[in-house]
Amino acid sequence: MNNRYVIANWKMNLSLNESVQLAKKINIRLMKEIWRRQVVICPDFLSLSSLSLAFSKSKLNLGAQNVFWQEQGSYTGEVSIKNLNQLNVNTIILGHSERRTILKESSEMINKKLKLVLKYNLNPIVCIGENKEIRDKGRERSFLKKQLKETLIDIRLKKNQEIIIAYEPIWAIGTGKNMPAKEVKNMLNYIKEEIANLYNKNIANEKFVFIYGGSVDTSNIKSLAKYSDIQGVLVGGASLKLNSFIKICKNILE
Ligand code: 13P
């Protein structure tokens, strides 16, 4: 365990056709790489079934950008984990800041989703991160501590389960203002310490993986890759461009 990861979050940027084309190209480019199992592609929901077919023989992982916390029932417009499971989705992004801010998802909701994802033995990516206002006031650490505590209430991990924590400062998302690699490393170490306080050091080391997201691209990936404490990246915009994405994968995973 504790592999490094590269997660592509395509958000709601591509048409169905574009998603399938890009997925096929990534698949071909990564076919021979032993580390392709550490790459996860998260398209929009409507593209999942086509990508599930496209990836059926490869070792690329398919991820979803969200899930509902109930397994099934009268929940108009929500997405069922059972159906994601049937489509061979093995990873689920939870609590992305765009969902927390635009869709008003609370840490309590994310906690319920996390419990369900673990019940189904899928891999959760839990996103946390402060906005600019909080950072300007220097309150990012206490903010992250609270987000972690609320999101991880009553979460116990079974053997072979791990949680990926994605630290994505909101002010760095889609802005080109990425955080310097050394500071990313320090923030991830802080987050790990807080996880050790909530559980213990062993669990923080063995059951949690700490990755960064926020304007990761080909210009900053080399410096991020230098720090072994940065265990991966969650990539938005740059994951939509084939060559940039492959370069990012190679820098982190080779
Ligand atoms: P960008 O890489 O476009 O800044 O997006 C980051 C992100 O939100 C990934 O989840």
Side-chain angles (χ1 to χ4, degrees):
M1 280 223 225
N2 273 356
N3 277 325
R4 276 181 143 185
Y5 294 96
V6 175
I7 322 282
N9 179 7
W10 289 353
K11 307 191 181 183
M12 204 181 73
N13 284 303
L14 301 177
S15 71
L16 192 48
N17 223 355
E18 288 167 339
S19 293
V20 172
Q21 292 313 317
L22 182 57
K24 284 185 176 164
K25 286 178 190 160
I26 293 174
N27 207 5
I28 291 169
R29 292 279 291 272
L30 298 187
M31 196 91 82
K32 296 213 174 78
E33 309 292 356
I34 39 166
W35 42 259
R36 68 190 182 283
R37 289 161 198 266
Q38 290 150 255
V39 177
V40 187
I41 308 293
C42 307
D44 72 297
F45 284 122
L46 296 180
S47 305
L48 280 171
S49 68
S50 307
L51 262 65
S52 180
L53 282 177
F55 289 172
S56 61
K57 291 202 185 79
S58 74
K59 295 284 183 282
L60 284 180
N61 301 293
L62 193 56
Q65 298 174 16
N66 182 31
V67 70
F68 193 51
W69 62 77
Q70 297 285 358
E71 288 170 54
Q72 67 183 81
S74 301
Y75 304 105
T76 304
E78 283 300 340
V79 174
S80 140
I81 197 160
K82 289 187 178 183
N83 288 346
L84 292 178
N85 213 3
Q86 277 191 21
L87 289 174
N88 299 319
V89 166
N90 65 9
T91 303
I92 304 191
I93 299 176
L94 299 173
H96 190 280
S97 63
E98 285 147 18
R99 296 205 59 83
R100 290 185 190 255
T101 55
I102 306 167
L103 281 304
K104 307 285 176 247
E105 272 192 24
S106 64
S107 292
E108 193 189 343
M109 292 179 195
I110 295 152
N111 175 262
K112 288 198 263 184
K113 294 178 180 198
L114 179 55
K115 283 178 184 153
L116 188 66
V117 170
L118 291 171
K119 180 178 166 191
Y120 274 75
N121 264 324
L122 302 182
N123 308 317
I125 301 172
V126 174
C127 301
I128 57 169
E130 79 285 354
N131 64 22
K132 186 174 179 307
E133 198 185 337
I134 294 168
R135 176 143 284 250
D136 286 347
K137 288 184 186 148
R139 298 213 183 120
E140 64 277 5
R141 291 188 177 217
S142 57
F143 178 84
L144 295 171
K145 182 176 174 174
K146 186 165 175 281
Q147 265 191 336
L148 284 170
K149 195 172 166 214
E150 290 171 351
T151 308
L152 295 171
I153 288 175
D154 294 333
I155 299 295
R156 296 279 165 269
L157 291 156
K158 286 186 260 163
K159 218 178 157 197
N160 295 329
Q161 287 190 321
E162 65 181 20
I163 294 178
I164 299 178
I165 303 282
Y167 172 52
E168 296 205 305
I170 295 173
W171 49 269
I173 295 178
T175 56
K177 287 186 203 150
N178 81 307
M179 185 180 259
K182 193 161 180 206
E183 203 177 335
V184 170
K185 170 194 149 303
N186 291 340
M187 289 307 291
L188 294 186
N189 285 343
Y190 167 72
I191 291 164
K192 193 172 188 174
E193 269 168 38
E194 285 307 326
I195 299 279
N197 289 337
L198 290 173
Y199 295 86
N200 61 48
K201 262 195 176 159
N202 271 349
I203 292 181
N205 277 327
E206 286 159 24
K207 310 288 268 174
F208 284 82
V209 175
F210 302 90
I211 71 173
Y212 168 78
S215 296
V216 172
D217 60 23
T218 49
S219 71
N220 50 44
I221 193 64
K222 273 207 168 78
S223 52
L224 291 165
K226 268 189 219 147
Y227 292 97
S228 59
D229 293 353
I230 302 173
Q231 294 174 294
V233 284
L234 179 51
V235 193
S239 72
L240 301 168
K241 294 175 236 145
L242 179 68
N243 288 335
S244 303
F245 184 63
I246 302 294
K247 199 166 173 190
I248 289 169
C249 290
K250 288 189 169 181
N251 272 285
I252 292 278
L253 302 176
E254 258 177 3

